[in-house]
Amino acid sequence: MSKKTVNKKKTGMALDKINYQLLAVAFVIVVIGFLLMTGSSNDDPRVFNEDIYSFRRITLAPIVVLFGFLFGIYAILKKPSDENSTEKNSN
């Protein structure tokens, strides 16, 4: 009986450097979206503040957050380019 030889590649990081950089950008976009949702507080609870229904809080901020999450998914799923993989193999 012969043993099968298994070629094991060196396992490093789960993602490439560019993927982590894109994830950092996605994180910043999501944080910006959440910051757009914030606003001034109302000191007097008996007075209604119309600012809570502004375009920035209701429309723009959720779109920015959603774009950040979608960009994060793209960053995870992005395959490394052939140039990067040939550089790693030659080193």
Side-chain angles (χ1 to χ4, degrees):
M1 291 188 183
S2 64
K3 293 182 180 180
K4 293 182 180 179
T5 59
V6 179
N7 293 334
K8 291 186 177 181
K9 294 191 288 184
K10 289 184 179 179
T11 56
M13 302 288 280
L15 300 172
D16 284 340
K17 181 180 177 181
I18 188 72
N19 295 89
Y20 289 113
Q21 290 171 343
L22 291 174
L23 274 173
V25 170
F27 178 74
V28 169
I29 292 171
V30 170
V31 168
I32 289 171
F34 279 115
L35 289 175
L36 286 172
M37 285 187 208
T38 63
S40 62
S41 62
N42 193 3
D43 296 332
D44 188 8
R46 295 172 293 197
V47 177
F48 181 72
N49 189 357
E50 291 281 334
D51 190 38
I52 196 165
Y53 296 116
S54 69
F55 170 78
R56 178 180 55 98
R57 286 183 172 179
I58 298 297
T59 307
L60 182 64
I63 290 173
V64 171
V65 170
L66 181 65
F67 176 74
F69 285 133
L70 292 175
F71 191 75
I73 292 170
Y74 167 76
I76 292 170
L77 295 178
K78 181 181 180 324
K79 291 184 180 180
S81 64
D82 292 336
E83 295 171 4
N84 289 341
S85 54
T86 56
E87 287 177 11
K88 288 181 181 178
N89 291 338
S90 65
N91 289 336

